[in-house]
Structure formats: structure tokens, C-alpha cells
Amino acid sequence: VNDEELKKRIAEELALERARRDSEAQKRRLFGKLLERERMSSNEHLTRAMLRERAATEEERQKALRFARQLEEKEKELKKHDAYYKEQLARLEERSAQFYKVTTEQYKKAADEVSARFK
């Protein structure tokens, strides 16, 4: 009877040990699966974040280029206006000089006439 009980106990302990090992192996598999899911989820989040950041960077670059073009256009327009106003100023100065010359000549002529009359 002792041998049989001992064999039975050994068989039960072996069965318990196998069950414990199976349970631990199953826990490790589940834990591994969880870790893999977490890693995949993290990778997806990271990938999405990188794509959003790249899109935002590209949008900012496009915006900067657009502003640079607008600035160049404004500078060209200002240069045109500057040239136009310089030209207008030169014309006004020329007219003013001509008007001064004519006025001075008329003044001298009138002064000479008055001087000749009242000599």
C-alpha cells in the first residue's frame, strides 16, 4: 500500500508541477502577446506622430515659401513705385527750373522796361 500511495503522490505532484509549468508558460505567452501588442501600438502612435509632424513641417515650409514670394512681389512693387516717384520728382524739378528761368527772364525784361521808361 505504501508503494502505491507513494507512486500516487509522486504522480499527483508531477501532475501539479506540469500544471504549474503549463500555467507559467501560458502566462509567459499571454504576457509576450501583450508586450507585442503594446509595442505595435506604440509603433503605430509613433508613426502617426511622425507623419503629423512631417505634414506640419511641410505645411510650414510651403507657408514660408508663399510668404517669401509675396515679399518679393511687394519689393518689386515698391521698387516700381520708387522709380515712378523719382521720375515724377525729376520732371517736377525740371519744370520748376524752367518756370524759374522763364520767370527770371520776364522779371529782368520787365525791370529793364521799367528802367528804360523812367530814366
Side-chain angles (χ1 to χ4, degrees):
V1 174
N2 255 345
D3 262 350
E4 282 185 29
E5 278 185 34
L6 187 61
K7 286 181 182 180
K8 198 176 191 181
R9 266 192 189 161
I10 291 175
E12 286 175 0
E13 284 182 24
L14 286 174
L16 285 174
E17 182 63 24
R18 280 189 208 125
R20 187 183 62 77
R21 285 182 189 169
D22 288 345
S23 175
E24 285 180 16
Q26 187 177 9
K27 284 180 187 177
R28 276 190 236 120
R29 282 192 301 271
L30 287 174
F31 186 68
K33 287 179 182 179
L34 285 173
L35 283 177
E36 183 62 26
R37 284 184 195 150
E38 281 295 317
R39 185 172 38 249
M40 289 174 59
S41 177
S42 293
N43 285 341
E44 284 180 28
H45 289 295
L46 182 61
T47 302
R48 282 191 221 127
M50 288 173 57
L51 290 174
R52 279 193 304 269
E53 190 61 33
R54 284 180 186 161
T57 302
E58 179 62 21
E59 185 178 321
E60 288 296 319
R61 189 181 71 76
Q62 291 296 329
K63 190 185 287 186
L65 288 174
R66 189 170 54 250
F67 286 145
R69 282 193 293 267
Q70 287 175 351
L71 181 62
E72 287 175 1
E73 290 173 9
K74 291 281 184 184
E75 286 178 352
K76 285 179 185 178
E77 189 176 324
L78 286 173
K79 285 180 182 179
K80 278 184 181 179
H81 287 295
D82 188 46
Y84 173 77
Y85 289 123
K86 282 182 181 180
E87 182 182 319
Q88 293 300 315
L89 181 62
R91 284 184 184 171
L92 287 173
E93 287 175 347
E94 185 180 329
R95 283 185 186 169
S96 179
Q98 289 174 353
F99 183 72
Y100 178 76
K101 183 180 176 184
V102 169
T103 305
T104 304
E105 287 174 3
Q106 288 177 349
Y107 177 78
K108 283 184 183 179
K109 187 177 177 183
D112 288 344
E113 285 179 10
V114 169
S115 180
R117 274 193 189 166
F118 295 103
K119 260 193 181 179

